[in-house]
């Protein structure tokens, strides 16, 4: 990926590219969003639409959910045949429902067994305004029954002389907000899943690096369980923690409306 740039001075995430091709765009949300929200191409701000005008000025409205892996990439695999790429889709259905109950619009980076690129997934998030991004993994390590939240490690913004920051530093201006969001979600997870950390951790997470929004990775342990029902039982608690985290985070995410402001 070249120096596709993020406009540092604006939170309106309209990128020159790489917008996903129409075939890769997430399908409209059935049935709620398809009846209440017009579909619009990625990369185009929704502020011109009447619905957008109502819902997009209040700040955080959209949660982009990224079921990791998929397609030819099964992700982590357990000895019992458990595939990370399948389980995360099941989790995301429940996370989505919990978020929609809290009034969030949910956009998914994949609906089925596809494998969009890292950049395609980030582009889905970066095309939204007032969004947070959650990538969901089932790890092959860690104490089964625990959940960890990660934010990207520190990234120097590397802004060029035009005030533009490169695509692969898109996360840099959002790291503080990502930590705030991550700590909230991790806190709710720790209450529910004993043995989980109390606070968010930093790691080099490729998917987060190119995402121009508060962004976290949620990693559930683990694919090594004998019975996948042990993982299925965790899904409602994970969904609840993410929805509560997003709801609690919402007031602290004020999207700048004036040029020159940073998130
Ligand atoms: Zn994974």
């Amino acid at each position: 990926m070249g120096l596709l740039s993020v406009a540092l001075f604006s939170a309106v995430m309209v990128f020159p590219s790489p917008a996903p091709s129409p075939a890769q765009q997430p399908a409209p949300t059935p049935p709620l969003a398809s009846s209440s929200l017009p579909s619009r191409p990625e990369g185009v701000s929704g502020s011109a639409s009447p619905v957008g005008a109502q819902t997009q000025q209040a700040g955080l409205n959209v949660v982009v959910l990224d079921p990791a892996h998929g397609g030819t990439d099964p992700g982590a695999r357990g000895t019992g045949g458990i595939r990370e790429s399948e389980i995360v889709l099941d989790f995301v259905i429940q996370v989505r429902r919990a978020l929609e109950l809290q009034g969030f619009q949910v956009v998914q980076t994949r609906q089925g067994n596809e494998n969009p690129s890292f950049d395609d997934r980030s582009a889905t998030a970066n095309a939204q305004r007032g969004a947070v991004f959650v990538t969901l993994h089932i790890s092959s390590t860690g104490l089964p029954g625990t959940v960890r939240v990660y934010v990207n490690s520190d990234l120097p913004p590397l802004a060029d002389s035009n005030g533009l920051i490169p695509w692969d530093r898109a996360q840099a201006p959002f790291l503080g907000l990502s930590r705030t969001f991550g700590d909230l979600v991790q806190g709710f997870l720790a209450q529910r899943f004993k043995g989980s950390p109390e606070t968010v951790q930093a790691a080099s997470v490729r998917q987060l690096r190119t995402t121009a929004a508060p962004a976290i990775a949620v990693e559930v342990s683990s694919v090594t369980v004998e019975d996948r029902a042990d993982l299925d039982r965790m899904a409602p608690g994970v969904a609840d923690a993410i929805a509560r985290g997003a709801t609690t985070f919402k007031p602290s995410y004020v999207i700048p409306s004036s040029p020159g402001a940073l998130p």
Side-chain angles (χ1 to χ4, degrees), residues 13-224:
M13 298 306 167
V14 180
F15 291 94
S17 80
S21 69
Q24 294 170 310
Q25 287 175 21
T29 313
L32 178 66
S34 60
S35 60
S36 62
L37 293 173
S39 63
R40 58 189 163 83
E42 301 292 352
V44 176
S45 167
S47 59
S49 77
V51 173
Q54 286 167 15
T55 60
Q56 300 222 345
Q57 288 176 356
L60 172 59
N61 302 295
V62 182
V63 179
V64 178
L65 292 178
D66 177 43
H69 311 285
T72 54
D73 170 18
R77 298 167 88 162
T79 51
I82 291 172
R83 287 165 174 248
E84 178 183 10
S85 61
E86 294 171 5
I87 308 262
V88 288
L89 269 182
D90 292 344
F91 269 65
V92 158
I93 289 168
Q94 300 202 36
V95 178
R96 174 181 202 128
R97 197 175 299 141
L99 286 163
E100 287 176 345
L101 281 171
Q102 297 301 320
F104 290 102
Q105 182 194 343
V106 175
V107 174
Q108 288 181 219
T109 58
R110 67 177 173 104
Q111 306 289 328
N113 190 27
E114 315 94 44
N115 186 18
S117 70
F118 289 121
D119 285 331
D120 285 344
R121 295 173 197 240
S122 287
T124 298
N126 297 353
Q128 309 296 324
R129 182 165 189 220
V132 294
F133 179 87
V134 180
T135 181
L136 187 71
H137 292 255
I138 315 291
S139 77
S140 57
T141 58
L143 182 67
T146 62
V147 190
R148 285 162 306 285
V149 181
Y150 294 94
V151 293
N152 212 86
S153 315
D154 280 333
L155 295 163
L158 293 179
D160 69 16
S161 56
N162 297 317
L164 300 175
I165 59 174
W167 172 260
D168 71 355
R169 291 291 186 277
Q171 176 59 200
F174 294 91
L175 268 176
L177 286 165
S178 297
R179 278 191 208 100
T180 302
F181 179 41
D183 271 336
L184 288 166
V185 174
Q186 182 72 79
F188 289 121
L189 287 166
Q191 289 172 18
R192 184 80 170 237
F193 300 104
K194 299 300 169 202
S196 302
E198 299 284 331
T199 56
V200 72
Q201 300 171 74
S204 179
V205 183
R206 169 63 185 85
Q207 187 60 71
L208 302 182
R209 185 154 45 91
T210 47
T211 299
I216 60 173
V218 175
E219 191 180 73
V220 177
S221 289
S222 73
V223 294
T224 64

